[in-house]
Each structure stands twice: as structure tokens, then as C-alpha cells.
Amino acid sequence: MKRVFETKEVSGSQNWLLTRFDALVNWARANSLWPMPFGTACCAIEFMATAASRYDFARFGMERQAFSPRQADVLICAGRLPFKLAPVIRTIYDQMPQPKWVISMGACASTGGIFDNYAMVQGIDTIVPVDVYVPGCPPRPEGLLYGVLLLHKKIKGESLAIPGLRDEQPLDAHGLRLPPEQIDEISEPFGNSIHQYRSA
Amino acid sequence: MNPSVDALRATFGSAIGRAQEACGDTIVTVGSANLLEIMRWLRDTPGQRHDYLVDITAVEYRDRERPLEVVYFLRSLERKADLRVKVELDPSGELTVDSVTPLWAGANWLEREVYDMFGIVFAGHPDLRRILMWETYAEGYPLRKDFPLRGRFSRAEQVRQALNANPEAHYSIEELSIAEAYDELPPDMRERLRRGQRGTVPESE
């Protein structure tokens, strides 16, 4: 594992701390992620279990759950997202200051899951950009923790020099995040749901 | 047979249709013309006193020949007795039935839900708006058999309309004044709500 800090003996007596600025910033960001829980269904129960003492994601710098998006770093969508909540999660995402990340927790948030119907968003990536998808129905706390650790890894690989990485990406002129064809493609039925009965 | 059914037949005659017992429950079908009168009688008559309206729902059968049914679950708290009342509606005709909100105030949201999901209009309802789907929802009535499982619009169009919807637009002016959010609305929406106007579907690009 790459070490972030190095201490060196310089001119005998004093200790100097040397690091890349990138590595220092990313280390700080990754290890103090404040989650904004957006719990809508059974995944939120597993999320609470992850936050509680047995699994305790405070160990990874997520001690403070930010119930205000203005003080949050990572939006965790735990549960299915109906179309009625789509403008809500988009508003919350827009209210979060950069840098910000999104974890899509569970099958429903990631793909619509078993709810391939008229009321449900088929994957929150049609609404907000997603950094880590955690599969499962619902994922166990270990799964969510693994997702958080993957996010740490991703954050530590970021560079401040990448232009536009932390720019806000507002909705386009149609009020969409992605081109319509791409949303249709993402939302295509798959697995067992292609056999579901369609009337009309 | 449940004594309520015999009493209903004695009082209303041919307005009472068939009655059946199923799993210990009594189901009685009544004509939609006298619904309000029959319900009032069931609520107020001593010996009936069905004072509690448990639920209102509707059923559409896959068999297109069968009528749509609006189902009322009544309970008498003092007699500890249940009665299920059904009204049959011709799906090809006008789906209208009298509102029972004058009898049970709790019917308000129940009837709004049935309206939202089935498109059945409750005549005399004080505030007949969608309750589960949002105000500008334009795809129809989701629990009708002719409604496609995934909705009528493409997913992209559904996402576009959902993202363009204003979450505050779900509420009536009364609900907003309770929440004290009314003053924070944009002026055009305040004006629209004051006039009691419904929302509009955003223009397609």
C-alpha cells in the first residue's frame, strides 16, 4: 500500500512532513465522508444497521450523518426511487456542495430491481451521476461498507489537476441528465422482467 | 344470511342486487342511483349502525364483460359486525358514483385514491384530485386493465416529466397553509393555487 506521508530526517534534528498535495487532500476527503442518507425502503434498514454499533461506519470517518445536504459529501440512496421522488433527490444532489459523491445502495436504486413498473425510476443514474453501485436486495452491512471502501479508493485516485472533475453538471435544456436514448437504453427490461405481461 | 341484507331488501327493494356470503363476510351489491341513501340508512338506522367506513377500493376484472366494482367496507363498532357493499359500474359508460364524504369525512382520501388509480369520478367530492401520483401525471389510471405495466410513455419521457415536476405542486392550498410553505412558492404557482387551478404537463421538446 502506498504511504501518504513520509517523515524525513533533514539536517539532523527536525522532522519534516512531505507529501503530494493531491494525496493529502484526497486522504482528508476520503476519511471524513459525511453521508447524506436518502433512505426510502428496506435498504435504509440495512443502512441503519451499518451506522449502528456492530458495523459502525464511523470507523471510516462517517461519524456524522448529515441530514442537511449542505453539509454532506456522499449521497447514499438506500432504496427504490419512485418518479415522484425524482425531483426531490435531484434537488438534494444539487444542494450538496462539491466535492460530492453518490452511492446507489441496492438493486432498486441501481436498476429499478423488481419494480419494473410505471411508478419507479429504473436506476438513479438516470437522475444523478453515481460513483459506486452496491448490489443486493438489500445488501448486507458488509456490502455497504465494501462500497464505501471502494469509494475511498476512487477518491484517493482523483487528482485536483483533472479539469472539470468537480464542476457542477446541471440538467440539459430538456431537463434531463442524459440523452433520452441513453435513458431508454438504461431502463430496458432485463432478466426475468422481460417476460412480464404487458397489457395493451 | 346477514340480517342487514334482509332489512336492506325490505327497505329498498329492487335497488338491492344479489348478496353472497364469502369467508364469513357478507357482500351485497347495490344500485349506484340510491347509493347515498342506502349508505345513510346503513349508518343511521338503529340495529344497523355501520358507523365506521373501513376502506373504499375498486376492482376491475380481466374479463371485460364483468363490470367495474367500487367496494365499501363498513363496520359497526357497537354491533361488532361487518358488511361489504359493492356498486357495479359499466366500464364502457361513465364511471361516476356518488361520493360518501357527506356521511364519512374519512372517505375523502379513500375516494381520491380510487379516483387516482381507476379514474372513477365521485360526484360531490369536495377535493377530487390525484393523491398518489403527482398532479401533472398524464399517463392515465395505473390500476386499469388497459394500462401497460410500464406506463404509456417512454422511460426518457417519464424521467423528463418527473424531473420537471415541482414537488410542492402535490399540495392543495389548505395543506400548504398548514405547512406554512405557501409563502415560499413562486408567485405564478401561488396565483394558480389561489384560483384552484390544476398543474399542467410540461411541454414536450
Side-chain angles (χ1 to χ4, degrees), chain A residues 113-170:
Chain A
I114 60 169
F115 301 101
D116 189 7
N117 62 24
Y118 64 94
M120 218 56 75
V121 173
Q122 299 299 300
I124 62 166
D125 42 8
T126 58
I127 313 282
V128 294
V130 174
D131 293 282
V132 177
Y133 300 86
V134 181
C137 186
R140 281 193 56 86
E142 292 94 328
L144 181 58
L145 285 179
Y146 181 61
V148 169
L149 291 178
L150 281 182
L151 185 62
H152 284 193
K153 215 170 178 177
K154 181 171 182 175
I155 294 169
K156 285 173 181 167
E158 283 178 2
S159 167
L160 297 175
I162 301 173
L165 177 68
R166 289 286 142 225
D167 286 356
E168 286 294 333
Q169 282 161 18

Side-chain angles (χ1 to χ4, degrees), chain A residues 39-49 78-80 105 108 115 136-139:
Chain A
T40 53
C42 31
C43 280
I45 304 296
E46 294 299 303
F47 175 86
M48 287 183 264
R80 65 190 105 90
M105 179 180 177
C108 300
F115 301 101
C137 186

Side-chain angles (χ1 to χ4, degrees), chain A residues 18-52:
Chain A
L18 299 177
T19 178
R20 271 172 50 237
F21 188 58
D22 260 359
L24 178 66
V25 168
N26 288 342
W27 170 80
R29 285 179 173 177
N31 291 302
S32 67
L33 285 174
W34 286 1
M36 164 82 212
F38 191 87
T40 53
C42 31
C43 280
I45 304 296
E46 294 299 303
F47 175 86
M48 287 183 264
T50 318

Side-chain angles (χ1 to χ4, degrees), chain A:
Chain A
M1 197 174 148
K2 206 180 85 185
R3 291 182 57 186
V4 175
F5 299 115
E6 247 176 285
T7 49
K8 274 188 181 168
E9 289 283 311
V10 182
S11 69
S13 61
Q14 270 184 310
N15 280 327
W16 290 76
L17 203 60
L18 299 177
T19 178
R20 271 172 50 237
F21 188 58
D22 260 359
L24 178 66
V25 168
N26 288 342
W27 170 80
R29 285 179 173 177
N31 291 302
S32 67
L33 285 174
W34 286 1
M36 164 82 212
F38 191 87
T40 53
C42 31
C43 280
I45 304 296
E46 294 299 303
F47 175 86
M48 287 183 264
T50 318
S53 52
R54 187 178 180 91
Y55 294 96
D56 191 18
F57 62 26
R59 291 179 294 157
F60 306 100
M62 300 173 92
E63 176 61 55
R64 182 185 182 278
Q65 288 186 50
F67 290 100
S68 151
R70 308 280 185 197
Q71 279 85 40
D73 300 302
V74 51
L75 175 65
I76 300 181
C77 181
R80 65 190 105 90
L81 188 79
F83 281 117
K84 203 170 170 179
L85 271 179
V88 176
I89 196 172
R90 182 68 212 191
T91 306
I92 287 175
Y93 179 77
D94 286 340
Q95 283 174 338
M96 287 166 60
Q98 292 284 7
K100 58 187 171 187
W101 297 270
V102 178
I103 293 179
S104 163
M105 179 180 177
C108 300
S110 305
T111 68
I114 60 169
F115 301 101
D116 189 7
N117 62 24
Y118 64 94
M120 218 56 75
V121 173
Q122 299 299 300
I124 62 166
D125 42 8
T126 58
I127 313 282
V128 294
V130 174
D131 293 282
V132 177
Y133 300 86
V134 181
C137 186
R140 281 193 56 86
E142 292 94 328
L144 181 58
L145 285 179
Y146 181 61
V148 169
L149 291 178
L150 281 182
L151 185 62
H152 284 193
K153 215 170 178 177
K154 181 171 182 175
I155 294 169
K156 285 173 181 167
E158 283 178 2
S159 167
L160 297 175
I162 301 173
L165 177 68
R166 289 286 142 225
D167 286 356
E168 286 294 333
Q169 282 161 18
L171 299 175
D172 65 12
H174 303 274
L176 288 174
R177 189 182 87 77
L178 299 171
E181 312 79 58
Q182 207 174 334
I183 293 180
D184 282 339
E185 194 186 335
I186 290 174
S187 310
E188 277 285 294
F190 65 97
N192 283 333
S193 78
I194 55 172
H195 303 300
Q196 276 178 9
Y197 168 73
R198 288 192 84 144
S199 55

